[in-house]
Amino acid sequence: MVPVFVVSLKSAIDRRATLKSHLDSLGIQFEWFDAIRGDELSPPYRQEVNPAGNMSPGQLGCYLSHIHIYERIIAQALPVALILEDDTVLHPSVTTLLQTGCQQLDFDYCFLGSDDRGDAGFVFYDAATPIPLSEPHVAYPLSTGPFCTHAYCITLEGAKKRVACAYPARSAIDHYHHLPYTPRMMAVVPMLAFVNELSAVQSMSSLNWNGLQTMARRRWWYYPLRDVLKLKAFKKWLALRHAKPPHPGQWRTLESAFKVVPNHRLKKRSDAP
């Protein structure tokens, strides 16, 4: 079986209870990993790991939390592991992937859900290169690395590469442009992981949000409305027309996992790409 690690602030009681109930209902065994709070780190240590001082406490805490999980993967020689954050909602079919394992491990990162943008702009996937991951899941190569680390698989090789250049920390954990190598990125399409109603509560990033913003982000309509107001569909179409993908293929825009999907609505989602 694919081991599952869940990154969560120890103080996020509601988020932990919600995710535990969700994973228990799917029969998924997992291990909590207490997230590091960047604002509780000593100034000398923050200076040591992030000499440039360009990362917020939330970014640094998240970065260190994921790096420490990679170190666990290496220490235990795990071929692959699934890393979740505590606002995740998984499609029930993820259990098949966890029980049977990945059919191939020729990747560094494989996202079950992510943002549709990254530090290089909008992210695209190559529909001409399907890669069987597990029955019935298919993954596709990505043009670049996407933002968001709430549900992704990382291989032992991927963990070793990232840990080898982990320090000094230069940017958030989901930024890849500064790495001395090009990570092998894939994503499952259609996506299998979204966020729940507590995604804006008790999280490291929510520490900087005001009350109204936090309340709005808990609603299912927040992200679709935000995307419409920002003309995201048009911008993605325009970006795809001018994109310079890493290799020829049938490149398509990636779906965003930033959708608030309550557990009872998840099973009703269409599985069509």
Side-chain angles (χ1 to χ4, degrees):
M1 295 182 63
V2 177
V4 180
F5 297 98
V6 178
V7 184
S8 174
L9 289 172
K10 198 171 184 178
S11 60
I13 298 174
D14 291 343
R15 290 166 67 105
R16 286 193 171 205
T18 298
L19 182 61
K20 183 178 186 306
S21 176
H22 173 53
L23 296 182
D24 286 350
S25 71
L26 297 177
I28 295 176
Q29 297 181 0
F30 66 96
E31 180 180 340
W32 292 113
F33 187 92
D34 293 338
I36 297 171
R37 287 190 62 120
D39 56 0
E40 294 180 350
L41 298 173
S42 67
Y45 182 70
R46 290 185 58 184
Q47 175 65 26
E48 177 185 347
V49 298
N50 179 224
N54 62 327
M55 297 173 67
S56 70
Q59 287 179 327
L60 186 57
C62 182
Y63 182 94
L64 294 173
S65 299
H66 285 265
I67 292 297
H68 288 343
I69 292 179
Y70 302 164
E71 292 171 343
R72 282 278 303 277
I73 292 171
I74 296 170
Q76 297 179 16
L78 301 176
V80 64
L82 173 62
I83 299 176
L84 305 176
E85 293 181 344
D86 61 7
D87 60 346
T88 307
V89 177
L90 297 175
H91 191 279
S93 65
V94 171
T95 56
T96 303
L97 169 63
L98 298 178
Q99 291 170 358
T100 63
C102 300
Q103 293 184 10
Q104 64 88 23
L105 298 176
D106 190 23
F107 63 86
D108 294 324
Y109 297 85
C110 181
F111 297 89
L112 306 190
S114 69
D115 198 358
D116 52 9
R117 292 181 61 89
D119 47 30
F122 285 110
V123 179
F124 310 106
Y125 73 94
D126 182 11
T129 314
I131 303 169
L133 191 64
S134 71
E135 185 65 32
H137 307 120
V138 178
Y140 299 87
L142 298 180
S143 59
T144 187
F147 293 145
C148 190
T149 52
H150 80 288
Y152 67 100
C153 291
I154 184 169
T155 59
L156 177 60
E157 184 64 24
K160 288 180 177 179
K161 290 179 183 177
R162 195 65 190 272
V163 168
C165 58
Y167 302 104
R170 298 178 178 86
S171 189
I173 193 67
D174 55 356
H175 288 219
Y176 309 95
H177 66 283
H178 64 283
L179 297 178
Y181 68 99
T182 301
R184 298 169 297 170
M185 301 284 193
M186 302 195 316
V188 177
V189 179
M191 288 190 171
L192 301 172
F194 301 91
V195 295
N196 62 31
E197 298 99 323
L198 297 180
S199 62
V201 182
Q202 295 179 316
S203 68
M204 287 181 282
S205 57
S206 68
L207 298 176
N208 298 321
W209 295 341
N210 59 46
L212 181 60
Q213 189 177 20
T214 299
M215 290 178 59
R217 286 174 179 267
R218 298 182 66 174
R219 309 300 178 182
W220 68 267
W221 45 261
Y222 173 81
Y223 292 107
L225 177 61
R226 182 193 66 174
D227 292 347
V228 170
L229 294 177
K230 289 187 175 182
L231 303 176
K232 179 181 276 192
F234 172 74
K235 291 178 180 178
K236 289 172 72 171
W237 173 80
L238 194 62
L240 183 58
R241 288 195 60 184
H242 295 89
K244 296 180 179 180
H247 59 263
Q250 298 176 14
W251 294 93
R252 298 178 183 175
T253 56
L254 192 67
E255 177 186 10
S256 174
F258 283 107
K259 300 178 186 292
V260 176
V261 183
N263 292 347
H264 68 274
R265 290 175 50 202
L266 188 66
K267 295 180 181 180
K268 298 179 182 179
R269 279 187 54 84
S270 170
D271 285 339

